[in-house]
Amino acid sequence: MHRVQEGINAYLEGDVNTAIKLLTGYISDNLPPQGQAYYYLGLAHCVIGKNTEAGGYFSKALELEPEKGMYHYKLALVYSDLMLFEQAIPHLLKTLEQNPQHVRARFVLGTIYFKTGNLEKAVEEFLSITRLSPDFAQGYYELGQTLFYMGDTDRACGALKKAAELAPENRLYYYRLAQIYSVSENGTEEMLSNFEKAYELGMDDLPFLCHYIIALKGAGKKGEAEAILAKAEEIYPTRPELSALKEVFNKP
């Protein structure tokens, strides 16, 4: 067990290679198996980007200590990263069975439900997150995203506004609000306001700028649209998308 602790200490100190050597050696010597040894080997392999190997170690740790919620959670993260969503779900549910207030596990579960098209369950998880952790801006953001895809635009905007209120420096939240308002009836003013906030916060990737330019032109603000277009040409002088956008822009 002393050698296991040495391996754990090496991992905690950031010496991943030594940790792997010590823990692997301990297991290879056929000493009494320890779930912790396999668990920390899994963590170490995650650090070096070997998720498949990490998953194998977490699985072995669970064979030895099947009730360890953290082992279930880490294995679920590996499965999620590998896009093996159906394998991840039962481990997240086991984690939450043992600790219903595990916000990160609930968040990962919600995102998996969203990615696999189970929007109702995703909403349930994200709503739970906003109750458990009312200051967690990303929980409101994902709730808003999911509600929008379910067609509940009003509640989606409310959730995204809350996300922006909690994290006012996050330009993505304003951009997403602008996108939703762009397809909403009578949403022009809110759309432009949120585009402007995202732009002021430094959002300048080309898809955003193109969307903003088109929105301004559509709202009759040609002068402002031209100014953003000039800025886009300055940042992305060789991108063919801008030539196409200029053709659209110059049409009456």
Side-chain angles (χ1 to χ4, degrees):
M1 186 63 182
H2 177 66
R3 287 168 63 191
V4 173
Q5 192 59 53
E6 286 182 348
I8 293 172
N9 289 342
Y11 170 80
L12 295 174
E13 291 167 4
D15 190 351
V16 177
N17 291 327
T18 298
I20 291 173
K21 182 179 178 180
L22 288 168
L23 294 168
T24 303
Y26 178 84
I27 291 168
S28 298
D29 288 345
N30 295 315
L31 295 170
Q34 300 288 337
Q36 270 196 326
Y38 286 104
Y39 174 67
Y40 276 93
L41 268 173
L43 293 178
H45 280 80
C46 282
V47 170
I48 62 175
K50 294 188 174 181
N51 278 354
T52 302
E53 291 86 343
Y57 288 122
F58 290 139
S59 294
K60 187 63 179 177
L62 277 170
E63 286 179 25
L64 297 168
E65 299 180 80
E67 295 305 313
K68 284 277 189 178
M70 187 54 70
Y71 296 0
H72 284 284
Y73 176 61
K74 291 297 185 180
L75 181 55
L77 293 185
V78 168
Y79 281 141
S80 179
D81 286 344
L82 294 171
M83 300 185 73
L84 298 172
F85 299 131
E86 293 304 320
Q87 287 95 318
I89 289 173
H91 292 288
L92 291 167
L93 292 174
K94 185 67 175 179
T95 304
L96 292 169
E97 176 187 314
Q98 296 182 8
N99 181 8
Q101 296 188 334
H102 196 308
V103 171
R104 292 304 307 184
R106 203 170 285 283
F107 181 81
V108 175
L109 183 58
T111 59
I112 287 175
Y113 283 144
F114 178 82
K115 290 172 182 176
T116 55
N118 199 333
L119 301 185
E120 292 81 4
K121 282 192 174 182
V123 166
E124 287 178 17
E125 296 304 329
F126 294 134
L127 282 172
S128 294
I129 289 167
T130 62
R131 289 190 290 267
L132 289 169
S133 187
D135 294 330
F136 184 32
Q138 199 172 1
Y140 287 98
Y141 173 75
E142 296 297 342
L143 174 61
Q145 287 271 78
T146 309
L147 288 168
F148 176 68
Y149 280 102
M150 291 178 70
D152 194 340
T153 303
D154 289 342
R155 288 177 68 204
C157 288
L160 286 164
K161 284 179 179 179
K162 182 65 176 178
E165 177 187 317
L166 291 168
E169 75 291 346
N170 193 314
R171 54 202 182 193
L172 176 62
Y173 297 169
Y174 298 109
Y175 181 29
R176 193 68 183 115
L177 273 167
Q179 289 176 305
I180 291 175
Y181 279 118
S182 73
V183 296
S184 301
E185 189 176 354
N186 302 318
T188 301
E189 186 175 334
E190 288 277 10
M191 173 191 69
L192 293 178
S193 173
N194 283 286
F195 267 127
E196 183 178 2
K197 287 174 184 175
Y199 185 66
E200 288 175 349
L201 286 167
M203 196 165 211
D204 62 1
D205 62 88
L206 188 55
F208 167 79
L209 291 174
C210 289
H211 200 173
Y212 191 15
I213 291 163
I214 292 167
L216 285 166
K217 185 174 186 292
K221 296 181 178 291
K222 188 176 180 181
E224 293 177 43
E226 288 175 337
I228 303 297
L229 180 57
K231 181 68 174 178
E233 289 182 294
E234 190 178 306
I235 301 171
Y236 305 103
T238 62
R239 292 290 289 272
E241 299 97 312
L242 280 178
S243 298
L245 179 61
K246 286 179 74 174
E247 287 182 21
V248 173
F249 186 84
N250 292 321
K251 286 181 180 179

